[in-house]
Each structure stands twice: as structure tokens, then as C-alpha cells.
């Protein structure tokens, strides 16, 4: 797949998604400039990346020379100026409209005029984020899945002012990076979260309505539909607080009742039952072992 | 544990030739009605009725939220015309005997099925949860959010599902989706269950045939 993009910048590269996106870019042969607000998080991401590539070598998925080359293509800085010559800048900073708009505004003054900006936002509008800069025609939605270094899917969405050419260039880059893009629109949750968040809420409501126990609901969904995980164990893994944030982002925009936070979810979050990370959600966890809910 | 099968017509859970049918005895403490009229029998450990979209209460009657006996409903989950899955949804009422549930679970598990216990609600567990999602996918398709292929691929690659919502609906039959969502909508009344436009079209074409 051909692309004119040679150098990629990743903002928030010290974070979970940013570090994974930087791996995707450098592994595929692109010069990758990692940018974050502290060197500490960038150093931590660097050592995690070395560990990840090391495992790829051990498992025979990557040659030692390719690992060394991929690591050599990665640079890190807390100076935004390091992104000046990037052809594509992907942002994966905090999920906050103000932070993202301010970032794009600052990048606009530093990056070359033809550079593309991409946002990895899960819940915000691409058009609203793009409104923070003067190149709205060159801003696209590029939503990676967690963990980005392993998941191939990218949901691609144009904002209202995105040009067809910019969208096509960004699309071509994702293919050149070995990813699988799908085209969607600038709507809350794109495809994946638009289907998943209300579905998970419905499962919470079924528990609350006494339809079945969490164990029985998860078993029914896994065995009956061949899903790898049931909705309630998935919620425990993702975190019930995260599900709340998703609901609070989507419901006010769509007014879809299925996207509103179910009362049981609110109570569980208030009680600190956030899922695996607090040892208790729809199930209880002890030393990582799972017990029936 | 021995079980007796009373059967009339084709069973959606156990099509002809299923081992479970052949494992039945002429006498036993558990009775299964597959298409035959439910007959209460307090002398048995459990009396099971195969359900379609209806509630168990249609067969047993209900009383002020304290109904329950040795009667149970069940259905093996099946996406329309697809082959049946390995899941049995076992339907209980508020005061159903624990021993009846244990006995029913035992015969199904001995035959290699997995059992999930559900309250006596229309759509039980799976259809209640999955049909609104399929409706949403049909709406997204009509509104141009994504192509059917991209929506299906998103679910396979992004969520690890074996298949996506649109291919699943096409495989099980959109007219079947109409029937299921219509039954759900009649009881729950929320827009999420209202049959999607494409399912309505498929049903209308089927009816015109
Ligand atoms: N975590 C997920 O499952 C997931 C999946 C898909 C998309 N996303 C999206 O990815 C983005 C990042 O999420 P995350 O989970 O990786 O968060 P995170 O908190 O792990 O990482 C965010 C990083 O951004 C950095 N940062 C914040 N403000 C910055 C700024 N102004 N300039 C440079 N760096 C800045 C932080 O220091 C941090 O390292 C969000 O938009 C989120 O919605 C997350």
C-alpha cells in the first residue's frame, strides 16, 4: 500500500494508546516522534516498547534486525518542536475536548501546512476537535482499539470539514501501517462503541431486573452467540467507571435511552465496585481468580 | 436420571435425529413436552415445556408473583434458521422448586448442553439482550454509518465476535428477527425492540409469498 507519509508524530505517546500507536507506526517502517508532557512517561513507554518487541523476537514474529531498526526509528521528546517535520500527527492525549483542541491549535503553528492531524478520541466529535485549529480540512478520526499494538482495526471518520483527499491519505497510511481501516461517520461511539456501550447497559439492566445472574447472562451470551467474553465480565475488565464515562459522553448527544447509565451501574460505581481493578464488580476477584457473582 | 419425552411436530430445540431425543425413556421422573399440551404432574421431579417466544406462565398460569412449582420452561437458543446452539435457556418462576431446576439442569448437562437459568420473561436472556443491538445495526445501515461489511468486520476484529450483526441477521433470517422483536415490543413497549425497517420489509415480502 503506498503512502507519501514518512514521519509520524504521536501525542500522548507515554499513555496506553499512544505507546501502542507508536509501536504500530515504527514497526511498519515510519520514523516515529513520540511526544508527551513528561520524559518520565515517555521513558516508561520506551522500556515497555523494548519489552514488547523483545517478546515479538522471542516468539519468532520479528527478526532481531527488524526490532533494532524499529527501535531506532522511535524518538521521544517533551518539546513539541520535534513534531515540526511530521507528515501525520496522531493525538492520543487525555479524553478532554479542551485539551485536544488546545493541542491541535498549538500543533497547527508548528507543523508543516500539509501535515495531517488524526485524533484517536473514543467519545468526542472529530469536527469539534478539529475546530481547535486552522486546518480542519486535514483532521480525521482514527480510532484504534486497545491494545493498539495488537489490534488491527481502525475506525476512520471524517469531520464535517475534512477533505476527501486528506481522508484518503490518512486511510492509505493505516493500510501501509498494516492495519485494517473501516469507514464510519463522526457520530458518538463510531461503530464499535455505538453497538457495545448500549448492549453492555442492557446486560446491566437485565441483572437489575432479576432476569438472570451475571454468571448465567455471561454464559448464555458466550455459548449461545459464540462471543469470547460475556458483557458483565467484559465490563469488569474495562472498569465500571469507564462505562459510566462512556454513557455520560454518549447519552447527552444521542438521547438514546439504552446509552444512559443504568441505575445499578451508578450505584456500583458509587460503592467502589469498579470491576477487576477494585477486586469487585459483577464478580469478585481474589488474586486474579474469578468467582461467581 | 431418566426422562420421558412427549412430542408433537418438529421441535426447534431438538430436530429429528438429535441424540437427546434418542436418550429418552418410556418412564422417568422428568417429563418434557415438545409441542404437546402442558399437563401439571406434582408426582414428577420436573415437568418441562419447550417454549417459543411465550412465557412459561402461559402454560402454568400466574399468581401475584409467587407462582412456581415443578414446572419449568426451556428453549435451546437458535438464531432463526441457523443450527441450534449448545445453550439451553431454562426458565423458572419465582417459587420454582430448586430440585426441579437441579434435575432439569442435570439431564441437559449429561447430554452435553450448557444451561443458563432465566426468569420467565419474553426473550429470556439472549434475545432480550441481542435483538436491540441488531435493531441498532439495521438502523446504522440505513443511516449510512457504515457498510454492512465494515460493521461486521468491526465486530469480528474489534470485539472478537465470530460474526457481525448484519451477517448474523441475514443468516438467521430477517423475517425471524421481525417475529422475535415484535413479541418483545408487545411486552416491553420500548423503541429499542420495535422491529427494524429492514426486518419489517423482509417480513412483508415473506407474507406476500
Ligand atoms: N484506553 C482505551 O481503551 C482507548 C481505546 C481507544 C481510544 N482511546 C482514546 O485514546 C486517548 C488516550 O487514552 P489512553 O487510555 O491512552 O489515556 P492515558 O491516560 O493512558 O494516556 C494519555 C497520555 O496523554 C498525555 N497527555 C495529556 N495531555 C497532553 C498534552 N497536552 N500533550 C501531550 N501529551 C499529553 C498524558 O501524559 C498521557 O501519557 C483518549 O482520547 C481515549 O479516548 C482509548
Amino acid at each position: 500500500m503506498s503512502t507519501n507519509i514518512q514521519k509520524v508524530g504521536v501525542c500522548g505517546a507515554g499513555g496506553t494508546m499512544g505507546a501502542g500507536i507508536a509501536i504500530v507506526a515504527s514497526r511498519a517502517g515510519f520514523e516515529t516522534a513520540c511526544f508527551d508532557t513528561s520524559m518520565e512517561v515517555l521513558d516508561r513507554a520506551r522500556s515497555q516498547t523494548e519489552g514488547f518487541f523483545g517478546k515479538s523476537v522471542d516468539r519468532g514474529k520479528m527478526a532481531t534486525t527488524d526490532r533494532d531498526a524499529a527501535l531506532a526509528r522511535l524518538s521521544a521528546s517533551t518539546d513539541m518542536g520535534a513534531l515540526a517535520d511530521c507528515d501525520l500527527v496522531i493525538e492520543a492525549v487525555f479524553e478532554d475536548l479542551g485539551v485536544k483542541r488546545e493541542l491541535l491549535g498549538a500543533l497547527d503553528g508548528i507543523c508543516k501546512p500539509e501535515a495531517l492531524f488524526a485524533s484517536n478520541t473514543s467519545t468526542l466529535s472529530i469536527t469539534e476537535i478539529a475546530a481547535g485549529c486552522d486546518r480542519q480540512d486535514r483532521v480525521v478520526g482514527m480510532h484504534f482499539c486497545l491494545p493498539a499494538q495488537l489490534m488491527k482495526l481502525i475506525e476512520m471518520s471524517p469531520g464535517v470539514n475534512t477533505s476527501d483527499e486528506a481522508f484518503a491519505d490518512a486511510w492509505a497510511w493505516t493500510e501501509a501501517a498494516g492495519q485494517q481501516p473501516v469507514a464510519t461517520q463522526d457520530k458518538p461511539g463510531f461503530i464499535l462503541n455505538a453497538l457495545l456501550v448500549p448492549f453492555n447497559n442492557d446486560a446491566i439492566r437485565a441483572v437489575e431486573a432479576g432476569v438472570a445472574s451475571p454468571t448465567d447472562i455471561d454464559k448464555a451470551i458466550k455459548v449461545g452467540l459464540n462471543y469470547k467474553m460475556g458483557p458483565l465480565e467484559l465490563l469488569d475488565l474495562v472498569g465500571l467507571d469507564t462505562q459510566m464515562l462512556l454513557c455520560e459522553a454518549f447519552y447527552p448527544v444521542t438521547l438514546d435511552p439504552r446509552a444512559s447509565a443504568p441505575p445499578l451501574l451508578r450505584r456500583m460505581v458509587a460503592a467502589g465496585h469498579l470491576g477487576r481493578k477494585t477486586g469487585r464488580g459483577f464478580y469478585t476477584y481474589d488474586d486474579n481468580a474469578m468467582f461467581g457473582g | 436420571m431418566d426422562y420421558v419425552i412427549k412430542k408433537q411436530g418438529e421441535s426447534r430445540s431438538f430436530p429429528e435425529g438429535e441424540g437427546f431425543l434418542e436418550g429418552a425413556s418410556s418412564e422417568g421422573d422428568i417429563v418434557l413436552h415438545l409441542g404437546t399440551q402442558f399437563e401439571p404432574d406434582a408426582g414428577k421431579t420436573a415437568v418441562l415445556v419447550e417454549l417459543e417466544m411465550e412465557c412459561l406462565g402461559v402454560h402454568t398460569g400466574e399468581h401475584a408473583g409467587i407462582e412456581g412449582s415443578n414446572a419449568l420452561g426451556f428453549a435451546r437458543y437458535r438464531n432463526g434458521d441457523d443450527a441450534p446452539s449448545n445453550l439451553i435457556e431454562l426458565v423458572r418462576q419465582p417459587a420454582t422448586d430448586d430440585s426441579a431446576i437441579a434435575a432439569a439442569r442435570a439431564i441437559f448437562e449429561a447430554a452435553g448442553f450448557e444451561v443458563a437459568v432465566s426468569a420467565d420473561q419474553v426473550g429470556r436472556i439472549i434475545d432480550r439482550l441481542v435483538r436491540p443491538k441488531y435493531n441498532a445495526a439495521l438502523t446504522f445501515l440505513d443511516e449510512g454509518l457504515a457498510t454492512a461489511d465494515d460493521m461486521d468486520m468491526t465486530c469480528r476484529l474489534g470485539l472478537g465476535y465470530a460474526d457481525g450483526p448484519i451477517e448474523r441477521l441475514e443468516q438467521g433470517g430477517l423475517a425471524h428477527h421481525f417475529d422475535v422483536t415484535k413479541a418483545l415490543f408487545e411486552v416491553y413497549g420500548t423503541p429499542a425492540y420495535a422491529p427494524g425497517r429492514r426486518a419489517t420489509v423482509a417480513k412483508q415480502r415473506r407474507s406476500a409469498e
Side-chain angles (χ1 to χ4, degrees), chain A residues 189-204:
Chain A
F190 308 118
I191 304 169
L192 197 146
N193 279 322
L195 289 171
L196 186 65
V197 171
F199 174 68
N200 287 344
N201 280 342
D202 285 348
I204 298 171

Side-chain angles (χ1 to χ4, degrees), chain B:
Chain B
M1 202 174 285
D2 289 340
Y3 56 92
V4 178
I5 288 182
K6 298 190 176 178
K7 182 168 181 289
Q8 192 177 8
E10 178 87 355
S11 158
R12 271 185 62 77
S13 300
F14 307 114
E16 285 310 322
E18 278 272 340
F20 186 78
L21 296 175
E22 277 138 38
S25 311
S26 54
E27 283 187 35
D29 283 332
I30 302 174
V31 178
L32 290 97
H33 289 282
L34 309 182
T36 50
Q37 175 74 37
F38 168 69
E39 294 162 20
D41 186 346
K44 299 291 181 192
T45 308
V47 181
L48 281 80
V49 195
E50 184 182 15
L51 301 174
E52 294 200 358
M53 286 307 295
E54 82 280 19
C55 287
L56 174 62
V58 171
H59 301 275
T60 61
E62 297 187 338
H63 176 58
I66 51 170
E67 59 273 4
S69 61
N70 64 347
L72 289 157
F74 79 93
R76 184 168 164 196
Y77 189 74
R78 195 167 172 185
N79 175 40
D81 303 331
D82 268 2
S85 71
N86 206 35
L87 183 88
I88 304 277
E89 289 178 305
L90 187 63
V91 175
R92 60 165 301 159
Q93 291 169 316
T96 299
D97 303 340
D98 287 342
S99 55
I101 296 172
R105 183 190 286 278
I107 58 163
F108 288 133
E109 288 181 350
F113 297 111
E114 298 211 45
V115 175
V117 178
S118 167
D120 190 18
Q121 297 281 340
V122 172
R124 297 178 283 271
I125 300 171
I126 301 185
D127 280 332
R128 176 196 180 102
L129 293 182
V130 89
R131 296 292 161 184
K133 179 159 78 171
Y134 295 163
N135 271 340
L138 290 175
T139 304
F140 292 162
L141 187 59
D142 275 356
E143 291 177 350
L145 181 72
T147 64
D149 284 351
D150 276 0
M151 238 187 293
D152 288 337
M153 182 152 52
T154 299
C155 290
R156 277 186 266 111
L157 294 185
L159 298 169
Y161 296 173
D163 49 19
I166 305 297
E167 56 194 338
R168 207 175 162 81
L169 278 171
E170 301 246 304
Q171 205 170 310
L174 276 160
H176 172 75
H177 177 68
F178 176 91
D179 292 338
V180 175
T181 45
K182 184 166 177 286
L184 286 158
F185 186 58
E186 273 171 10
V187 171
Y188 298 120
T190 51
Y193 289 113
R197 188 196 65 81
R198 282 174 189 276
T200 306
V201 168
K203 180 67 179 182
Q204 285 167 343
R205 283 178 61 82
R206 165 92 44 109
S207 306
E209 274 168 19

Side-chain angles (χ1 to χ4, degrees), chain A residues 77-202:
Chain A
S77 175
T78 54
D79 173 8
M80 199 183 276
L83 305 177
D85 59 344
C86 287
D87 305 297
L88 166 67
V89 178
I90 306 170
E91 74 76 18
V93 302
F94 296 144
E95 187 71 344
D96 180 291
L97 183 61
V99 172
K100 288 188 193 286
R101 284 171 78 145
E102 200 177 309
L103 176 78
L104 259 57
L107 285 169
D108 209 15
I110 286 171
C111 296
K112 48 188 184 183
E114 64 273 25
L116 290 173
F117 293 169
S119 174
N120 185 44
T121 182
S122 296
T123 65
L124 301 168
S125 157
I126 302 305
T127 308
E128 285 185 57
I129 292 170
C133 70
D134 284 334
R135 62 176 87 190
Q136 297 184 29
D137 58 323
R138 305 194 61 68
V139 180
V140 303
M142 191 182 277
H143 186 235
F144 290 76
C145 296
L146 178 78
Q149 64 274 24
L150 297 178
M151 302 285 279
K152 292 260 173 253
L153 185 80
I154 300 184
E155 292 174 284
M156 296 288 296
S157 55
V160 168
N161 291 320
T162 308
S163 73
D164 291 347
E165 191 199 349
F167 190 72
D169 288 348
W171 180 280
W173 178 79
T174 63
E175 290 185 329
Q179 300 293 110
Q180 175 63 63
V182 291
T184 182
Q185 296 174 334
D186 182 18
K187 288 187 183 165
F190 308 118
I191 304 169
L192 197 146
N193 279 322
L195 289 171
L196 186 65
V197 171
F199 174 68
N200 287 344
N201 280 342
D202 285 348

